[in-house]
Amino acid sequence: MQTAANQTPTRGSLLYDPKFRGAVYQVALIAIIAFVFYEAASNAVENLRRARIASGFGFLENTAGFDINQALINFSAAGSTYGDAFIVGLLNTLLVAAIGIVFATILGFTIGVARLSRNWIVAKVAMVYVEIVRNIPLLLQLLFWYHAVLAPLPQPRNSIQMGAGFFLNARGLYLPKLIFESSAWYVLGAMVIGGVAAFLFRRWAKEQQQRTGRQYPIGLMTLALIIGLPVITWIVLSAAGAHPATVDVPIKGTFNLTGGLQVFPEFVALLLGLVIYTAAFIAEVVRAGILAVSRGQTEAASALGLTPGQTLRLVVIPQAMRVIIPPLTSQYLNLTKNSSLAVAIGYPDLVQVFMGTVLNQTGQAIEVVVITMAVYLTISLVTSFIMNIYNRRVAIVER
């Protein structure tokens, strides 16, 4: 007959295994979370049924019945669905986020480096820019650009001509539009080939530099391959009579402008606000990253005969990137999420189109909100994933 002492777990049993206990705790936590979500979903479905509110995602196939002024795909009130409206809003959000990230990065790096300039005026101007812009709410800046800067522009009949084919008025910026033909695929193929060749040349040049110490013009060669090769292809096709594209130039009429590409003032105001606001924070991130590099690195580069520009580009910035990338990722995510403030100035982004017009017409609050949240979550996770890959590449490897 076993005693109570013999029934106690021994040191070798599963109860003393930290991995087993950790797995049990995790399974229990997952079960609790799943139960909470199940109860919440069940209650939501039951409440919708009692209130006689339709549920499900079938509304996405219904006809929208409204127009959107800026659409990157074909969209019409009579023939497009709510699902098409969702795609239009999503593409508009991705467009302003992608362009905003590029310009905010360029401006932010420039301002961040300028803050550390030895020129007193340049450093102080950069400091004033950062301190003023980042302490004014973004919403107020968007309203300023839209109502105070763009709204007072003249009407189309009095458009400001900014060169051949460029007009500016209260309805936006009109500029020449390229209409691509079938032969444009050859130009795109040349660009892809140039990008692959530039990547291979960059790897070869770095290997040669590590082996022999000789430096090659990587930047100039990259530009020549990515830009020069498509330009040469374009010229050859044009000389052969197969023009890759034609130019549609806007023409000023009595009351309006016809032809060309119209950039709406809502898009311009949103892009200006996001770029200028986010660049102020990126500038501080860049400045902190540069200051994190030891002064001895700069002194060693000077002793080797490098100019200040070469020292910054070849020594300081590469080492500062390991400090810059993590907070820079947060700024990219903030810019994408801040684009939802476009609803204040009427830019047809995902929030304005889907959570605004579509939600008001369909009443599918739960479905619309869940889809919108899932989209922003996906965009943020993809952005973080890409930036984390780059962060691992620039991180210092311990030996």
Side-chain angles (χ1 to χ4, degrees):
M1 183 175 181
Q2 293 182 343
T3 62
N6 295 330
Q7 295 177 358
T8 58
T10 61
R11 287 289 178 181
S13 65
L14 291 176
L15 293 179
Y16 285 98
D17 187 355
K19 293 184 179 180
F20 175 78
R21 286 184 297 176
V24 171
Y25 295 151
Q26 293 181 42
V27 171
L29 180 60
I30 292 174
I32 294 173
I33 294 175
F35 175 77
V36 171
F37 273 97
Y38 173 77
E39 288 295 321
S42 300
N43 290 334
V45 172
E46 180 64 22
N47 292 334
L48 290 174
R49 186 187 64 80
R50 291 179 180 179
R52 296 181 179 180
I53 299 177
S55 61
F57 299 94
F59 72 97
L60 293 174
E61 300 179 358
N62 298 334
T63 302
F66 62 90
D67 286 318
I68 302 176
N69 60 356
Q70 177 179 314
L72 300 181
I73 62 174
N74 293 328
F75 187 89
S76 63
S80 299
T81 64
Y82 290 126
D84 297 329
F86 163 76
I87 296 175
V88 169
L90 174 61
L91 292 178
N92 287 341
T93 296
L94 294 176
L95 176 66
V96 73
I99 298 177
I101 285 174
V102 172
F103 284 103
T105 302
I106 296 173
L107 181 60
F109 266 80
T110 303
I111 299 297
V113 174
R115 284 211 62 182
L116 300 174
S117 174
R118 296 179 181 179
N119 188 306
W120 186 86
I121 296 179
V122 172
K124 293 304 178 184
V125 169
M127 182 192 70
V128 170
Y129 168 86
V130 170
E131 295 301 328
I132 291 179
V133 171
R134 72 174 182 172
N135 287 299
I136 298 178
L138 176 58
L139 180 58
L140 294 181
Q141 296 189 39
L142 295 178
L143 296 176
F144 167 78
W145 287 110
Y146 186 66
H147 293 289
V149 176
L150 299 178
L153 291 173
Q155 293 302 312
R157 66 171 63 184
N158 300 318
S159 298
I160 302 173
Q161 187 166 2
M162 306 171 61
F166 291 84
F167 298 90
L168 182 64
N169 56 53
R171 296 184 182 178
L173 175 65
Y174 291 77
L175 60 156
K177 178 182 179 181
L178 289 177
I179 302 177
F180 293 99
E181 305 295 339
S182 58
S183 58
W185 287 105
Y186 293 103
V187 179
L188 180 61
M191 185 178 297
V192 173
I193 294 173
V196 174
F199 174 76
L200 295 177
F201 176 79
R202 182 183 180 88
R203 291 186 58 180
W204 176 83
K206 286 189 174 182
E207 292 177 357
Q208 292 297 315
Q209 182 178 358
Q210 293 178 356
R211 186 182 308 167
T212 63
R214 182 179 177 183
Q215 295 183 1
Y216 292 86
I218 297 178
L220 293 177
M221 185 60 68
T222 300
L223 290 176
L225 291 172
I226 296 179
I227 299 178
L229 189 59
V231 170
I232 295 175
T233 305
W234 188 300
I235 294 174
V236 172
L237 291 173
S238 300
H243 298 282
T246 58
V247 182
D248 182 16
V249 181
I251 301 175
K252 183 179 180 182
T254 305
F255 300 101
N256 206 344
L257 292 166
T258 58
L261 177 65
Q262 180 184 5
V263 182
F264 292 94
E266 294 82 6
F267 175 79
V268 176
L270 178 62
L271 185 62
L272 285 174
L274 290 175
V275 168
I276 293 175
Y277 181 77
T278 309
F281 292 90
I282 293 179
E284 287 298 276
V285 171
V286 172
R287 184 173 72 95
I290 293 176
L291 292 177
V293 179
S294 173
R295 185 179 295 273
Q297 298 292 320
T298 305
E299 295 174 351
S302 299
L304 293 175
L306 296 180
T307 64
Q310 291 176 328
T311 301
L312 181 66
R313 179 168 49 89
L314 301 176
V315 178
V316 177
I317 294 296
Q319 296 185 65
M321 291 302 293
R322 62 187 177 88
V323 180
I324 293 175
I325 292 300
L328 183 63
T329 303
S330 298
Q331 296 307 318
Y332 288 168
L333 300 181
N334 289 337
L335 186 148
T336 303
K337 291 180 287 188
N338 286 338
S339 66
S340 61
L341 293 175
V343 66
I345 58 176
Y347 176 73
D349 75 321
L350 181 63
V351 174
Q352 198 271 344
V353 172
F354 200 58
M355 286 198 63
T357 306
V358 174
L359 176 58
N360 291 334
Q361 291 189 3
T362 62
Q364 307 282 149
I366 295 179
E367 292 84 354
V368 171
V369 172
V370 168
I371 292 175
T372 306
M373 292 174 61
V375 167
Y376 278 102
L377 177 61
T378 303
I379 294 174
S380 299
L381 291 177
V382 171
T383 304
S384 299
F385 176 75
I386 295 174
M387 295 300 293
N388 287 336
I389 292 177
Y390 181 71
N391 186 41
R392 287 194 292 269
R393 292 188 58 184
V394 301
I396 294 179
V397 181
E398 297 291 342
R399 294 183 179 180

